[in-house]
Amino acid sequence: MLPWSAPSELRKYTSITSASAKGSSGGSDKMTAEIPALPEPAHPHLDSMLSRKFGKEVANYFSGSPLNRVSFLRTDHTFLSAALKHPTTSFLLFHNLNPLAKDPATLHYLRFADVRPLVGDDPYSKTEAQLVSEYNSTVTIPQLLFLGLDERNKQGLTHAIYTGAPYFALDVTPKGTIASQAESLIQNLQSRGLKFLEGRIQAALPAQDAAIYAQARALLDWNARNPFCAQCGQPTLSINGGTKRTCPPKDMANLKGAIGGTVGTEPTERPDCATRKGISNVCFPRTDPTIIVAVISSDSKRVLIGRQKRWPPYWYSTLAGFVEPAESVEEAVRREVWEESGVKLGRVVIHSTQPWPYPANLMIGAIAQCIPGGEEIVLKHDPELEDARWADMDEIREALRVGTSALGESAQEGYKEGNLRLPAGTAIANQLLTAVAGGFVGEAPKI
């Protein structure tokens, strides 16, 4: 085991018994909360010069999708049409960004026959160019996403050299001209005992389902937030399997400005738009890079942690913030930590990353070390934190052992009220703290 690998007792988060017995947080009832196992990184058993020097790759929750996205096939409507109707195809439905499920830990996938009343016989029967030329902004098109192929299923669709079971996501939120069809579909699903999981964060799903959910939610949210062109204000059309949006040059609706109007018999030329010129002629999904960092003291014996005012008592985490334009990740780490805590950093190392589909963040996990003399905490710069403090390694290890959970939930059995609380293993903050508590900053070669 490499010196910075976490000891086994710090990695046992797959099944956690959460108790509020005497001396633990919460009431008197005992409950069991299942914390999903993290995904396996790519090629975990492969020996290489990089793995020997830097250690095993870390895969975080919401990553590790089993799907090959085959993004180059998203404009091939012959492929998408076949994928839509294949008997191995799975559809994950969302209502107001809440996924369809049997229970909080089990997503429920549908077949084409189930969604056909909403999407129609074949939304890919025409080419993308034809759909753009015939665009009618008064007609609501169900938001459908092609997610990829599960190549583990050898009975799946074969297209050229690719074989796998196709996966799609579908937004069934009632709206516009498809409201009644969507409402009927939702009622049918609810009559079968299915439900759309409510709550901002879904962190009880098995790792691979969580990755599929994250991809679908992020893209559906982006489509829903961008119905109009940012340049000219006209309605846009979802293309490229749901992963891009375009501003069509014509509209079958006789629009006045960006909203309202009537349907004409011939397409109407829309106002000129810069997005139809040059190579930047489509809108791409947004991803917001965000740093999150475990800061260690200059002597490597303590960790900087902070808390927001709205968090439950004793709950702390690592510091985080957005990367700004024309700023490197390392610079963003140093800036955010100084702004929030006053602590001054030296070396910054990227540890791992985590997709965070709320709505579209990429969490860039780092480990950084304070410069000598730069450890004084000053909270007067940015008022985001209610408190920040240094915790020694033993306190961090004890909190990782019995004090982790989702925000506001009970800790594990053995937790003593008043002790430190930390995020659950599904959060990248947990993985960063586990790394430093397990000896990431040691004497052996490291990143």
Side-chain angles (χ1 to χ4, degrees):
M1 182 174 67
L2 291 172
W4 57 88
S5 299
S8 59
E9 64 268 19
L10 293 182
R11 289 178 291 160
K12 295 177 181 177
Y13 300 124
T14 303
S15 179
I16 294 177
T17 300
S18 181
S20 50
K22 191 173 183 179
S24 65
S25 63
S28 59
D29 295 332
K30 182 180 285 189
M31 65 167 73
T32 299
E34 293 294 329
I35 303 298
L38 296 177
E40 280 286 342
H43 313 294
H45 305 298
L46 181 66
D47 182 42
S48 69
M49 181 172 63
L50 287 177
S51 62
R52 289 194 298 272
K53 184 174 179 63
F54 300 127
K56 182 179 177 181
E57 183 177 316
V58 176
N60 287 292
Y61 197 66
F62 292 131
S63 69
S65 173
L67 305 183
N68 181 347
R69 299 194 184 196
V70 287
S71 60
F72 44 85
L73 294 178
R74 291 170 182 162
T75 57
D76 186 341
H77 280 209
T78 299
F79 163 73
L80 292 179
S81 180
L84 190 79
K85 305 172 186 176
H86 198 269
T88 64
T89 299
S90 297
F91 293 83
L92 179 59
L93 273 54
F94 286 76
H95 179 212
N96 289 326
L97 299 178
N98 299 319
L100 184 66
K102 297 178 182 178
D103 56 63
T106 311
L107 295 177
H108 186 79
Y109 298 91
L110 300 179
R111 299 300 182 193
F112 177 64
D114 299 307
V115 301
R116 186 174 181 177
L118 183 61
V119 302
D121 291 336
D122 188 358
Y124 302 115
S125 60
K126 297 180 180 180
T127 67
E128 195 167 273
Q130 287 176 306
L131 293 176
V132 172
S133 67
E134 299 173 3
Y135 177 63
N136 186 339
S137 60
T138 64
V139 176
T140 306
I141 301 175
Q143 185 59 62
L144 192 61
L145 305 175
F146 171 65
L147 301 177
L149 298 174
D150 186 348
E151 296 176 311
R152 298 171 301 176
N153 189 337
K154 303 306 179 184
Q155 304 303 314
L157 171 68
T158 295
H159 179 85
I161 62 173
Y162 314 103
T163 297
Y167 276 70
F168 288 83
L170 176 64
D171 185 0
V172 298
T173 306
K175 62 182 70 173
T177 58
I178 60 169
S180 61
Q181 297 96 315
E183 289 169 354
S184 295
L185 178 56
I186 291 171
Q187 291 172 3
N188 175 267
L189 296 172
Q190 291 173 338
S191 70
R192 292 158 55 181
L194 301 171
K195 58 185 178 181
F196 292 93
L197 296 179
E198 296 184 355
R200 178 174 173 266
I201 297 175
Q202 304 300 333
L205 301 170
Q208 293 187 342
D209 276 341
I212 294 173
Y213 155 79
Q215 178 190 0
R217 189 197 188 282
L219 284 168
L220 288 176
D221 192 5
W222 169 75
N223 275 281
R225 290 171 185 262
N226 293 273
F228 301 108
C229 177
Q231 202 281 330
C232 70
Q234 297 289 321
T236 53
L237 172 67
S238 178
I239 59 172
N240 206 247
T243 63
K244 297 178 185 178
R245 298 190 72 88
T246 188
C247 183
K250 299 180 180 181
D251 194 340
M252 291 299 294
N254 182 19
L255 292 179
K256 296 179 180 179
I259 57 175
T262 58
V263 178
T265 57
E266 294 294 331
T268 301
E269 291 284 347
R270 304 216 296 184
D272 191 30
C273 181
T275 65
R276 303 188 204 115
K277 301 175 182 178
I279 59 173
S280 300
N281 55 2
V282 291
C283 179
F284 290 85
R286 175 174 172 169
T287 297
D288 299 325
T290 308
I291 62 91
I292 181 167
V293 55
V295 174
I296 57 174
S297 58
S298 60
D299 62 4
S300 305
K301 294 181 179 180
R302 296 174 298 159
V303 182
L304 179 66
I305 52 177
R307 60 171 279 109
Q308 296 182 14
K309 185 176 182 180
R310 63 184 177 86
W311 290 356
Y314 321 120
W315 184 280
Y316 283 77
S317 186
T318 53
L319 275 58
F322 288 102
V323 180
E324 294 192 347
E327 183 178 50
S328 72
V329 169
E330 291 83 358
E331 289 172 322
V333 169
R334 295 187 186 97
R335 175 184 56 77
E336 282 287 345
V337 169
W338 178 81
E339 288 179 353
E340 293 184 4
S341 70
V343 170
K344 300 175 182 178
L345 301 182
R347 182 73 166 97
V348 176
V349 174
I350 296 176
H351 172 270
S352 60
T353 60
Q354 180 180 36
W356 191 253
Y358 304 106
N361 299 116
L362 177 62
M363 306 297 293
I364 304 171
I367 294 175
Q369 191 156 21
C370 182
I371 63 173
E375 297 171 356
E376 180 184 1
I377 293 175
V378 180
L379 300 180
K380 65 181 181 181
H381 305 304
D382 185 338
E384 181 174 343
L385 297 181
E386 178 189 54
D387 184 40
R389 67 179 181 89
W390 292 98
D392 63 40
M393 291 296 180
D394 285 341
E395 184 181 11
I396 296 294
R397 294 187 185 103
E398 178 64 10
L400 288 170
R401 189 179 71 85
V402 296
T404 64
S405 73
L407 193 66
E409 293 185 0
S410 299
Q412 298 94 288
E413 187 163 2
Y415 171 77
K416 295 181 180 179
E417 184 71 15
N419 285 355
L420 178 63
R421 299 292 308 278
L422 294 173
T426 50
I428 189 173
N430 183 292
Q431 302 309 306
L432 297 174
L433 292 169
T434 296
V436 297
F440 183 91
V441 184
E443 295 180 358
K446 50 191 174 293
I447 298 176

